[in-house]
Amino acid sequence: MARPTQRARTLSQNFLADRATAEHVARLAAPDRRNPPLLLEVGAGNGALTEPLARRSRELHAYEIDPRLVPGLRARFARTPHVHVVAGDFLAARPPRTPFSVAGNVPFSRTADIVDWCLSAPGLTDATLLTQLEYARKRTGDYGRWSLLTVLTWPRHEWRLLGRVGRHRFRPAPRVDAGILRIQRRPAPLLTGTGPRRTWSDLVELGFSGVGGSLHASLRRAHPRRRVDAAFRAARLDPGVLVGEVAPDRWLRLHEELTA
């Protein structure tokens, strides 16, 4: 039989072992105890984050993929009727139709899939996730660069880095620190309608394609040079700027100018 540490590594599990950090993450995930009415936790583990989340939610579904951890979780929350421990893979769950939030200390190796699940769920209002620090910084522009995924989803979702959590606050300790990533669906999208959403994705994907060697050159493949020049001036961008250095608000101005 595999030892607990070996099993944790196999499932990419690094359990949160610091109570203050768990309380802090729970407050960020559910700042108003009356909201959200439904909270989904991904990767409940041994319940370190589940407990403070339970105090701040009206209904909590705690997902745990490791069947050996589920009995302990169910025993721990047996007298907490609004906490439902769900045995199974969070990624196999069908998103609720009603508004809901997601929180969790996610397995680093499955972060991208979990984020994709959240972004594609129509009822999601927000997600507060402990991820690898590098991932959180990359997605939120903290390196001074922006990723394709962040820019593509920016009209609908806001991405923020809410803090850093040292690696030694987990057991077993991962090789790197974690970041608190917050993804929040905007109450009103910055772009509405099928047409603007399509032209946005076309523009951003073309810009990140690398065709032509620069963002300016890539956009000239679909737009006259004079229009691209004018759009860059309106967005206050240098023609030599690297695509990853363009913040989402500048992309919105480029889109406005090039689709006018």
Side-chain angles (χ1 to χ4, degrees):
M1 180 180 294
R3 295 179 180 178
T5 300
Q6 293 174 326
R7 189 165 66 247
R9 288 172 179 166
T10 301
L11 294 174
S12 189
Q13 294 168 309
N14 301 100
F15 302 114
L16 189 58
D18 183 75
R19 180 174 296 180
T21 299
E23 294 284 353
H24 178 60
V25 173
R27 284 194 299 271
L28 293 173
D32 183 348
R33 292 176 184 269
R34 297 167 299 174
N35 186 51
L38 176 59
L39 179 60
L40 273 55
E41 183 188 8
V42 50
N46 55 18
L49 182 57
T50 313
E51 187 169 309
L53 287 175
R55 294 196 297 270
R56 307 189 70 86
S57 59
R58 285 187 280 171
E59 183 176 359
L60 174 62
H61 295 184
Y63 285 81
E64 177 49 51
I65 195 172
D66 189 340
R68 282 171 274 202
L69 295 176
V70 171
L73 283 168
R74 287 180 171 161
R76 183 172 181 175
F77 297 100
R79 296 186 179 182
T80 313
H82 72 285
V83 176
H84 308 277
V85 177
V86 183
D89 189 350
F90 173 82
L91 292 173
R94 179 176 297 178
R97 294 184 178 182
T98 56
F100 69 97
S101 296
V102 170
N105 172 29
V106 306
F108 289 173
S109 65
R110 309 190 81 195
T111 300
D113 292 334
I114 291 167
V115 168
D116 286 345
W117 187 99
C118 291
L119 293 173
S120 63
L124 179 89
T125 58
D126 52 81
T128 306
L129 307 173
L130 276 167
T131 73
Q132 188 173 349
L133 180 62
E134 181 181 4
Y135 181 91
R137 295 190 66 187
K138 178 181 177 182
R139 292 292 183 232
T140 57
D142 196 57
Y143 285 121
R145 297 177 63 87
W146 299 84
S147 71
L148 170 61
L149 178 63
T150 307
V151 177
L152 270 177
T153 59
W154 192 259
R156 187 42 129 164
H157 296 89
E158 181 184 12
W159 299 68
R160 288 186 293 156
L161 175 63
L162 299 185
R164 178 176 187 155
V165 179
R167 57 186 291 268
H168 294 294
R169 297 185 185 184
F170 300 87
R171 296 290 182 274
R175 296 180 179 179
V176 296
D177 291 346
I180 306 173
L181 173 65
R182 175 81 167 181
I183 304 171
Q184 189 150 0
R185 183 182 291 270
R186 302 182 188 278
L190 302 178
L191 295 173
T192 58
T194 303
R197 290 197 299 268
R198 184 178 63 251
T199 56
W200 172 262
S201 61
D202 289 346
L203 178 72
V204 174
E205 288 173 358
L206 175 62
F208 273 88
S209 69
V211 177
S214 69
L215 173 59
H216 193 278
S218 295
L219 297 185
R220 291 203 314 267
R221 294 178 63 85
H223 304 277
R225 179 169 191 142
R226 61 179 178 79
R227 293 200 66 191
V228 176
D229 287 342
F232 268 62
R233 288 194 298 270
R236 294 179 295 170
L237 292 172
D238 185 280
V241 68
L242 299 176
V243 64
E245 296 173 345
V246 180
D249 63 324
R250 303 295 180 89
W251 275 102
L252 286 165
R253 191 58 193 274
L254 287 175
H255 179 262
E256 179 183 356
E257 295 293 324
L258 292 173
T259 60

